[in-house]
Structures are given as structure tokens and as C-alpha cells.
Amino acid sequence: MTVEAAADEKRALRTAFGAFMTGVTVVTTVDECGTPVGLTANSFTSVSLEPPLLLVCISRKSLSLPAFLRTEGFAVNILSESQQALSDRFARPAEDRFAGVAWTPGPVGGPILDGVCGWFDCRLHDRLEAGDHEILIGRIAGFGQERLRPLGYARGGYFLADI
């Protein structure tokens, strides 16, 4: 297989994955200095109600990954329809993604962003290496939700969930 063929196959696979509509989250933690760290992720799902577990996948290329690998916990913030700019902000490299962003610490200490549809603050339960990503499994220690419309993502673009 040529390099071009491999690149074309990766693009095709990414396009196929993009047909699956997802919600948009910002996954957050604090580093060893207490500085908030976060990134946009749509690889998020519930795992179990008993015990209460969820998972998120973070690319090994992410500059934020080291903070998540050293943390005892993390939070998942489900973005609302008005937070597309926040999604874009946390998806791009930046010196301080949290500059001017209002948040409060969750029960475990993960940053909970203001205005989100829902949030989960978790203790790290397990971590798995999976291809080019790390899978973080969190045991939910606290959660909340608001009656706001969620922000969705599919086929490379945002959409509003009409629910």
C-alpha cells in the first residue's frame, strides 16, 4: 500500500465515523500546579450505571494528555447550543484556553464550565491504551444537568439537537 493510499483510507475512515452524530464535550482537569486544562472531545459515552462509569478518548497527540495521565480525576462538560465558540476554543492549541471562561470546581475538583447542558466529575477508575488514543474511564462522583439544548457534531460540522 502506498502512503497516498493509506492517507486516502484514513480520510475515508474518518468520513465514515463522521456519519455518527455525537454530542460535543469539553473534558477538563487540573494539573499538578492547580492550573485548569481542557480539550474538546466527542469520543464520550456512558459505560455503567452500577458502578457509575463513563469513558472519554484522548488522542496521544494532544498536548493536554500528560495532565490527564497524571490526574486523579477529570470532568466531562456537555456543551449547549450556545457554546460552539467554546468548542472551537478548546479544540485548538492555545496558551490559556480558560482565559475569560467561567467555571467552578466539581466535587472531585474537575473544572465545570458555566452554561453546559450537563456535567460529570469523575475519579480516574482505569486507563487503557488503544491505538492512537488513551481511554480514560471515570467513576462518577458528581453530576448535574440543565434543560438546555445540546450542541451536536456530524460530518465535520455542528448542528443543534432538536430535542
Side-chain angles (χ1 to χ4, degrees), residues 2 6 43 46-47 61 74 118 124 134 143-144:
T2 67
S43 295
S46 61
V47 174
K61 293 179 183 176
F74 62 91
L124 185 61
E134 290 283 329
F143 64 94

Side-chain angles (χ1 to χ4, degrees), residues 48-63:
S48 171
L49 293 176
E50 198 55 50
L53 301 174
L54 59 74
L55 72 76
V56 294
C57 300
I58 299 177
S59 171
R60 287 215 178 109
K61 293 179 183 176
S62 171
L63 298 176

Side-chain angles (χ1 to χ4, degrees), residues 33-136:
C33 297
T35 304
V37 176
L39 56 94
T40 299
N42 67 351
S43 295
F44 156 75
T45 192
S46 61
V47 174
S48 171
L49 293 176
E50 198 55 50
L53 301 174
L54 59 74
L55 72 76
V56 294
C57 300
I58 299 177
S59 171
R60 287 215 178 109
K61 293 179 183 176
S62 171
L63 298 176
S64 300
L65 181 61
F68 286 95
L69 296 181
R70 289 191 289 268
T71 189
E72 293 184 20
F74 62 91
V76 178
N77 296 269
I78 302 171
L79 299 188
S80 67
E81 68 181 343
S82 66
Q83 294 180 310
Q84 181 176 332
L86 201 57
S87 172
D88 290 340
R89 176 185 200 149
F90 279 85
R92 296 186 181 107
E95 184 72 24
D96 181 5
R97 291 175 173 155
F98 280 86
V101 174
W103 63 276
T104 55
V108 177
I112 308 302
L113 306 178
D114 286 4
V116 297
C117 288
W119 59 269
F120 304 89
D121 199 22
C122 305
R123 287 185 176 78
L124 185 61
H125 178 77
D126 203 356
R127 182 171 62 89
L128 307 165
E129 294 181 13
D132 57 3
H133 280 67
E134 290 283 329
I135 299 173
L136 303 181

